[in-house]
Amino acid sequence: MTSKHRKLAEWVKDMARMCQPDHIVWIDGSEEEKKRLEKEAFASGELIQLNQNKLPGCVYHRTAQNDVARTEHLTFICTSKKSDAGPTNNWMTPRQGYAKARAIFKNSMRGRTMYVIPFSMGPVGSPFSKIGVELTDSIYVVLNMRIMTRVGAEVLQQLGSNGAFTKCLHGKADLDINRRLILHFPEDNTIWSVGSGYGGNVLLGKKCLALRIASTMGQREGWMAEHMLIMGVERPNGQIQYLAAAFPSACGKTNLAMLVPPQGLARKGYKIWTVGDDIAWMRIDSDGNLWAINPETGFFGVAPGTNSKTNPNAVKTVQKNTIFTNVLLKPDKTVWWEEGDGPIPAEGLDWRGYPWRPGQKDENGKIIKGAHPNSRFTAPISQCPTASFRLQHHHGVPISAIIFGGRRARLAPLVYEAYNWEHGVYIGATMASERTAAQMGKVGEVRRDPMAMLPFCGYHMGDYFKHWLHMGKAMKKQPKIFHVNWFRQDQSGKFLWPGYGENLRILEWILARCENTAEASKTPLGYVPTLRSLDMTGLDLSKQNLQELLSIDEEAWKQEMDDHESFFKLFGNRLPKELRSQLAKLRRRFSTWK
Ligand code: OXD
Ligand code: MN
């Protein structure tokens, strides 16, 4: 396969001159190609073939031990002006960025093959979609990209002889954390990632293109690239309403996107349609409303905690054609992870490749995990039992509601609705989550994460808020905006809300509010459900607990508002005045409450 695109061919040649691969192979997306690459990776040890009777089409991979998560401190936005990257991003000039990375890339592919992956984020040819080409020396990356995006010949054909594409260069180099850089050059539509083999750093269509670079394109071209799941809720009359939801990493986007309706609501006959679990590209379509596509075609989900209770549809999705990374490998060549299904295996090889037995401790007396806490599965959406029938639709789905959320043990009510779009943008901009034991740092510490985009917004976040306000003004009918908190705890630290499938009760209220058919009380935060407006049939939850879940602690909110004010200082005069005025209004509503 070759390309008639002169600029693409020249760029591939230039990058090859720098990296010096022994071979260059163009990826065509065929089944034959997949078999050939897998065979090569089995032979080299890059991949292990799993038990083909029990897990057909599945393979196993381990990353280097110091390469198991996104490395935000090594992730940079490279713009001519520092202020264009803003206060929430690491910054370098493009000149510095290219020079530093070039020194690492130089000759790094000697003895290796450089794969050229043409890929489309979004259906090929859709006006919502963007094309990228990733060069990589990793077969693991090629096989993941084949699941996560649309790759190969049809993309090249769409690109034609002169189409625009994002230039994505990835090289493993020596996988040394001191020689690792994830660089974004929005002014050149370019991404360079070197020294890592971890998905979030190297599947360049995902966080790097579909969020960091796409957010800058969206600002320029008048659309939105967001860290959001997209799902449809169908009622027995066949009507489907779609919603998009932004939660910080590790707050359950994947679980919510493929939720199973709870027993108590079974009589209502709801059906869930999964459109995406991580990224939404949203545009105002010709009807003046907001429409969304999921630019990806796969899930790159966290394995630990995924089981038949928390996410039965994910469990079904990963039974075939799945890449498992850093989970426990069992002697029968199947896989296991903590809080997964099935009995705890008596033995296996842990994510580092060492012999493992349950309860084994390290030299500090800490239990050794079989799977890394951030171990992953890469699986095609098409295998998900709730996969939406609109995944290939060029205009995606119309969005009725946008939901923000985070982990707040004491503060935020279970759900509340913004008064209007501008107030909703304020709620998104002040979104936060408290650290859990699974993350580095102090447990309970509040991390502000506006729209769940803190690590993913490719430009100045003050301008990003402005863009949100501007988009709202440009819509004929704005989706309503909500905030949810599944993680509220009682005084003893016990979760008050059961979560998972039961969350549909809250989505039901949200969607009814979009049709003006559910009751709510006015509070300083926004509209909160009345007790009787939520359908709790079949759920054993006391009235007192529900009251507590919906309650607002005025003193805690006073402190929270002070915290919003100091957070806003970070953005200086690029904070839109509308957000400052929303804070003043919130303070006023509290001062006249009750
Ligand atoms: C992810 C993340 O991997 O948000 O999706 O970190
Ligand atoms: Mn994510």
Side-chain angles (χ1 to χ4, degrees), residues 160-176:
S161 59
N162 202 22
F165 67 98
T166 304
K167 301 189 276 288
C168 307
L169 173 65
H170 165 249
K172 291 182 286 189
D174 40 16
L175 295 175
D176 178 350

PDB file of all heavy atoms in Angstrom, residues 160-176:
ATOM      1  N   GLY A 160      -7.377  11.209   0.236  1.00  0.00           N
ATOM      2  CA  GLY A 160      -7.127  11.655  -1.137  1.00  0.00           C
ATOM      3  C   GLY A 160      -5.693  12.095  -1.326  1.00  0.00           C
ATOM      4  O   GLY A 160      -4.772  11.587  -0.683  1.00  0.00           O
ATOM      5  N   SER A 161      -5.486  13.100  -2.191  1.00  0.00           N
ATOM      6  CA  SER A 161      -4.109  13.497  -2.476  1.00  0.00           C
ATOM      7  C   SER A 161      -3.723  14.738  -1.695  1.00  0.00           C
ATOM      8  O   SER A 161      -2.571  15.164  -1.718  1.00  0.00           O
ATOM      9  CB  SER A 161      -3.952  13.754  -3.978  1.00  0.00           C
ATOM     10  OG  SER A 161      -4.863  14.763  -4.344  1.00  0.00           O
ATOM     11  N   ASN A 162      -4.698  15.315  -0.972  1.00  0.00           N
ATOM     12  CA  ASN A 162      -4.380  16.595  -0.360  1.00  0.00           C
ATOM     13  C   ASN A 162      -5.109  16.846   0.959  1.00  0.00           C
ATOM     14  O   ASN A 162      -5.129  17.969   1.444  1.00  0.00           O
ATOM     15  CB  ASN A 162      -4.751  17.700  -1.372  1.00  0.00           C
ATOM     16  CG  ASN A 162      -3.998  18.964  -1.096  1.00  0.00           C
ATOM     17  OD1 ASN A 162      -2.941  18.916  -0.459  1.00  0.00           O
ATOM     18  ND2 ASN A 162      -4.550  20.092  -1.516  1.00  0.00           N
ATOM     19  N   GLY A 163      -5.752  15.813   1.532  1.00  0.00           N
ATOM     20  CA  GLY A 163      -6.570  16.030   2.731  1.00  0.00           C
ATOM     21  C   GLY A 163      -5.736  16.366   3.958  1.00  0.00           C
ATOM     22  O   GLY A 163      -4.554  16.044   4.034  1.00  0.00           O
ATOM     23  N   ALA A 164      -6.376  17.024   4.938  1.00  0.00           N
ATOM     24  CA  ALA A 164      -5.674  17.405   6.173  1.00  0.00           C
ATOM     25  C   ALA A 164      -5.633  16.214   7.125  1.00  0.00           C
ATOM     26  O   ALA A 164      -6.589  15.439   7.201  1.00  0.00           O
ATOM     27  CB  ALA A 164      -6.393  18.562   6.836  1.00  0.00           C
ATOM     28  N   PHE A 165      -4.517  16.066   7.845  1.00  0.00           N
ATOM     29  CA  PHE A 165      -4.418  14.988   8.833  1.00  0.00           C
ATOM     30  C   PHE A 165      -3.502  15.423   9.969  1.00  0.00           C
ATOM     31  O   PHE A 165      -2.643  16.286   9.795  1.00  0.00           O
ATOM     32  CB  PHE A 165      -3.900  13.693   8.174  1.00  0.00           C
ATOM     33  CG  PHE A 165      -2.475  13.773   7.692  1.00  0.00           C
ATOM     34  CD1 PHE A 165      -1.435  13.264   8.467  1.00  0.00           C
ATOM     35  CD2 PHE A 165      -2.156  14.374   6.466  1.00  0.00           C
ATOM     36  CE1 PHE A 165      -0.113  13.332   8.032  1.00  0.00           C
ATOM     37  CE2 PHE A 165      -0.842  14.441   6.034  1.00  0.00           C
ATOM     38  CZ  PHE A 165       0.183  13.923   6.817  1.00  0.00           C
ATOM     39  N   THR A 166      -3.725  14.829  11.150  1.00  0.00           N
ATOM     40  CA  THR A 166      -2.851  15.094  12.287  1.00  0.00           C
ATOM     41  C   THR A 166      -1.645  14.160  12.191  1.00  0.00           C
ATOM     42  O   THR A 166      -1.807  12.947  12.043  1.00  0.00           O
ATOM     43  CB  THR A 166      -3.595  14.857  13.615  1.00  0.00           C
ATOM     44  OG1 THR A 166      -4.777  15.667  13.625  1.00  0.00           O
ATOM     45  CG2 THR A 166      -2.732  15.235  14.813  1.00  0.00           C
ATOM     46  N   LYS A 167      -0.457  14.748  12.274  1.00  0.00           N
ATOM     47  CA  LYS A 167       0.786  13.977  12.160  1.00  0.00           C
ATOM     48  C   LYS A 167       1.136  13.440  13.550  1.00  0.00           C
ATOM     49  O   LYS A 167       1.432  14.226  14.458  1.00  0.00           O
ATOM     50  CB  LYS A 167       1.915  14.865  11.636  1.00  0.00           C
ATOM     51  CG  LYS A 167       1.622  15.476  10.268  1.00  0.00           C
ATOM     52  CD  LYS A 167       2.843  16.156   9.683  1.00  0.00           C
ATOM     53  CE  LYS A 167       3.059  17.569  10.169  1.00  0.00           C
ATOM     54  NZ  LYS A 167       2.127  18.577   9.676  1.00  0.00           N
ATOM     55  N   CYS A 168       1.035  12.116  13.721  1.00  0.00           N
ATOM     56  CA  CYS A 168       1.256  11.511  15.039  1.00  0.00           C
ATOM     57  C   CYS A 168       2.467  10.598  14.971  1.00  0.00           C
ATOM     58  O   CYS A 168       2.445   9.609  14.237  1.00  0.00           O
ATOM     59  CB  CYS A 168       0.047  10.674  15.448  1.00  0.00           C
ATOM     60  SG  CYS A 168      -1.535  11.546  15.360  1.00  0.00           S
ATOM     61  N   LEU A 169       3.486  10.897  15.736  1.00  0.00           N
ATOM     62  CA  LEU A 169       4.687  10.069  15.742  1.00  0.00           C
ATOM     63  C   LEU A 169       4.870   9.447  17.121  1.00  0.00           C
ATOM     64  O   LEU A 169       4.882  10.163  18.124  1.00  0.00           O
ATOM     65  CB  LEU A 169       5.917  10.923  15.402  1.00  0.00           C
ATOM     66  CG  LEU A 169       7.278  10.221  15.526  1.00  0.00           C
ATOM     67  CD1 LEU A 169       7.422   9.088  14.520  1.00  0.00           C
ATOM     68  CD2 LEU A 169       8.425  11.233  15.351  1.00  0.00           C
ATOM     69  N   HIS A 170       4.965   8.119  17.148  1.00  0.00           N
ATOM     70  CA  HIS A 170       5.236   7.438  18.418  1.00  0.00           C
ATOM     71  C   HIS A 170       6.433   6.499  18.284  1.00  0.00           C
ATOM     72  O   HIS A 170       6.539   5.760  17.304  1.00  0.00           O
ATOM     73  CB  HIS A 170       4.035   6.597  18.878  1.00  0.00           C
ATOM     74  CG  HIS A 170       4.410   5.627  19.960  1.00  0.00           C
ATOM     75  ND1 HIS A 170       4.451   4.260  19.776  1.00  0.00           N
ATOM     76  CD2 HIS A 170       4.830   5.837  21.236  1.00  0.00           C
ATOM     77  CE1 HIS A 170       4.864   3.680  20.887  1.00  0.00           C
ATOM     78  NE2 HIS A 170       5.091   4.593  21.785  1.00  0.00           N
ATOM     79  N   GLY A 171       7.297   6.541  19.264  1.00  0.00           N
ATOM     80  CA  GLY A 171       8.406   5.585  19.295  1.00  0.00           C
ATOM     81  C   GLY A 171       8.639   5.123  20.726  1.00  0.00           C
ATOM     82  O   GLY A 171       8.546   5.922  21.665  1.00  0.00           O
ATOM     83  N   LYS A 172       8.940   3.833  20.889  1.00  0.00           N
ATOM     84  CA  LYS A 172       9.198   3.317  22.240  1.00  0.00           C
ATOM     85  C   LYS A 172      10.561   3.791  22.731  1.00  0.00           C
ATOM     86  O   LYS A 172      10.791   3.877  23.924  1.00  0.00           O
ATOM     87  CB  LYS A 172       9.199   1.775  22.218  1.00  0.00           C
ATOM     88  CG  LYS A 172       7.832   1.166  21.960  1.00  0.00           C
ATOM     89  CD  LYS A 172       7.885  -0.359  22.011  1.00  0.00           C
ATOM     90  CE  LYS A 172       8.545  -0.948  20.782  1.00  0.00           C
ATOM     91  NZ  LYS A 172       8.440  -2.406  20.655  1.00  0.00           N
ATOM     92  N   ALA A 173      11.475   4.048  21.793  1.00  0.00           N
ATOM     93  CA  ALA A 173      12.883   4.310  22.146  1.00  0.00           C
ATOM     94  C   ALA A 173      13.345   3.238  23.136  1.00  0.00           C
ATOM     95  O   ALA A 173      13.124   2.062  22.892  1.00  0.00           O
ATOM     96  CB  ALA A 173      13.083   5.724  22.658  1.00  0.00           C
ATOM     97  N   ASP A 174      13.891   3.660  24.325  1.00  0.00           N
ATOM     98  CA  ASP A 174      14.321   2.619  25.266  1.00  0.00           C
ATOM     99  C   ASP A 174      13.400   2.517  26.480  1.00  0.00           C
ATOM    100  O   ASP A 174      13.782   1.923  27.497  1.00  0.00           O
ATOM    101  CB  ASP A 174      15.778   2.853  25.691  1.00  0.00           C
ATOM    102  CG  ASP A 174      16.072   4.323  25.913  1.00  0.00           C
ATOM    103  OD1 ASP A 174      15.093   5.097  26.044  1.00  0.00           O
ATOM    104  OD2 ASP A 174      17.243   4.713  25.952  1.00  0.00           O
ATOM    105  N   LEU A 175      12.175   3.096  26.370  1.00  0.00           N
ATOM    106  CA  LEU A 175      11.182   3.023  27.450  1.00  0.00           C
ATOM    107  C   LEU A 175      11.744   3.525  28.785  1.00  0.00           C
ATOM    108  O   LEU A 175      11.351   3.065  29.849  1.00  0.00           O
ATOM    109  CB  LEU A 175      10.647   1.587  27.622  1.00  0.00           C
ATOM    110  CG  LEU A 175       9.853   1.020  26.441  1.00  0.00           C
ATOM    111  CD1 LEU A 175       9.486  -0.449  26.689  1.00  0.00           C
ATOM    112  CD2 LEU A 175       8.588   1.823  26.168  1.00  0.00           C
ATOM    113  N   ASP A 176      12.646   4.497  28.691  1.00  0.00           N
ATOM    114  CA  ASP A 176      13.256   5.062  29.887  1.00  0.00           C
ATOM    115  C   ASP A 176      12.417   6.276  30.305  1.00  0.00           C
ATOM    116  O   ASP A 176      12.213   7.195  29.518  1.00  0.00           O
ATOM    117  CB  ASP A 176      14.695   5.484  29.526  1.00  0.00           C
ATOM    118  CG  ASP A 176      15.421   6.134  30.679  1.00  0.00           C
ATOM    119  OD1 ASP A 176      14.770   6.434  31.702  1.00  0.00           O
ATOM    120  OD2 ASP A 176      16.639   6.348  30.552  1.00  0.00           O
TER     121      ASP A 176
END
